[in-house]
Amino acid sequence: MRNHKIFTYLRVFFVLSAAAATVSNANSFQVLPKVSDVDRKISSLGRNPVLDYLGHWVVGSAIPVLKSPVHESITLAAIGCSAAMGYEDECVTIEAVRENRTLLYGVRWPDDPPFLLNTKSPPRIKGCDVRITLRSTSQPTCWWGLFSDAGSQAKRKAHLKEPAFGPGDYMLYRSHYGDLQFMHSMGAYDGETAGETVDRMKIWAEFLWGVALGSTPTGVFIRDLGNAKMATYFPGDLTTMNLFATGIVEVRKDLDEVAIGVLLHMVQDSFSNAHAVRGQEPGAQCGSTGFDKPGQIQQFHSYAKQSSSLHDEQDTTKALGLHTSQISPSAVDVSRAFLTMWQAKKSWGEVEELFDCVFEPKDRKIEANAGVYQSVPNTRGDVRWNPS
């Protein structure tokens, strides 16, 4: 019996280790996961303490070796890190992360949004505990199982001219593979026009700006905020606090920082070649804002048919260094512009001019696709597919 248990634990360990290598293929500029004391405490009270502790070892030890903290690098550089251009990864220190913990939680939220599992129809995946909020650091085995399932389903639905997932599906499915891919500056499906994508992004940005300024109530159902388009994304009994901080008590008093972090994530992803294609920067300014204009959006990509390995080559600190060394305004510069306007408490009416400039599509009718990051057949004749 003891030998059987040991074998089972080792098998889970190796599965998680393999998962760690694949989890590094995230649907955006990669983010360094952090396992908090709260996560460890919660998992110790759950039904799968051994599995979750193994998962925590993987998330806390293996993945950071494989993943690049690009969003943190961009954000901390935009705040004012003194690292030289092209070396923004040096901004990510323990002290800086601790000092800006809530903002960075918001920056990584689109990649790992916390949500509750369905208690009436729980996932048929080993390691899932419906009593515990789902995120990669609290239930890593369950998170990976759901993430893999989302990728497999999205592949089967990739031929459809509609999002693979929508309201009623788990946030993890929607934000990476469904109707909420605009959070990553990507089309929701192959064929969505650039105009449709940027319109979705603008609805989201305006909502986030209201939360960031404190003008949008966070304890009211999103469907009752008077924003009909936001209500189509979140038609159920979900408040802004639920959306951003389900099970995460520590950040609830600072949802303004969380919201601006979520917005920065979308801004930064728009400079990743695997997410969007930008033209050359024109040397002009964004209207009366005083900020420089980045290259125009030529096309958005969608994720379902992309090769995760090809996608990820654009989402590393090396890619970031090449980007900031050659392009101005860079993702860092534009992130700083939005942070400056937030700190100055500018109204959405004032910020809208900057948004329209930063995300201006060259042609609103051009359709999203996988671009040069398309999955291709391997030598055995099947398709290389790494759900991420």
Side-chain angles (χ1 to χ4, degrees), residues 28-228:
S28 59
F29 272 137
Q30 295 171 7
V31 185
L32 184 68
K34 301 290 183 182
V35 181
S36 71
D37 292 335
V38 173
D39 289 321
R40 292 190 177 92
K41 177 66 174 178
I42 289 175
S43 71
S44 72
L45 299 174
R47 296 191 179 99
N48 309 292
V50 175
L51 299 182
D52 284 338
Y53 268 86
L54 283 171
H56 279 168
W57 183 88
V58 173
V59 173
S61 300
I63 295 179
V65 174
L66 300 171
K67 291 174 72 74
S68 303
V70 178
H71 277 295
E72 283 93 339
S73 300
I74 297 171
T75 303
L76 293 172
I79 290 173
C81 166
S82 59
M85 187 181 299
Y87 294 90
E88 288 77 15
D89 58 317
E90 294 180 359
C91 295
V92 184
T93 64
I94 293 175
E95 294 74 18
V97 169
R98 285 175 177 168
E99 185 178 350
N100 299 281
R101 183 175 297 169
T102 304
L103 175 62
L104 294 178
Y105 167 85
V107 169
R108 72 170 63 95
W109 179 90
D111 283 333
D112 195 9
F115 59 93
L116 296 176
L117 296 171
N118 189 329
T119 57
K120 295 181 179 178
S121 180
R124 300 180 67 179
I125 295 174
K126 191 172 184 178
C128 292
D129 188 335
V130 296
R131 300 175 302 167
I132 297 177
T133 299
L134 197 287
R135 58 175 177 163
S136 67
T137 50
S138 63
Q139 296 200 69
T141 51
C142 180
W143 187 93
W144 173 244
L146 292 175
F147 203 64
S148 299
D149 178 60
S152 297
Q153 287 197 50
K155 177 188 176 183
R156 293 195 296 270
K157 298 177 181 179
H159 64 286
L160 302 175
K161 292 291 185 179
E162 60 183 30
F165 305 103
D169 293 313
Y170 286 134
M171 279 292 297
L172 187 65
Y173 288 56
R174 298 176 66 190
S175 63
H176 286 278
Y177 290 103
D179 62 328
L180 302 182
Q181 286 186 74
F182 57 78
M183 295 177 176
H184 301 284
S185 290
M186 298 191 80
Y189 56 91
D190 278 19
E192 182 176 79
T193 67
E196 291 173 312
T197 302
V198 79
D199 288 348
R200 295 174 191 264
M201 294 166 66
K202 189 171 183 177
I203 293 166
W204 182 234
E206 183 176 4
F207 166 73
L208 292 173
W209 199 259
V211 178
L213 288 186
S215 58
T216 297
T218 58
V220 177
F221 293 143
I222 295 174
R223 58 177 166 79
D224 292 334
L225 288 175
N227 186 328

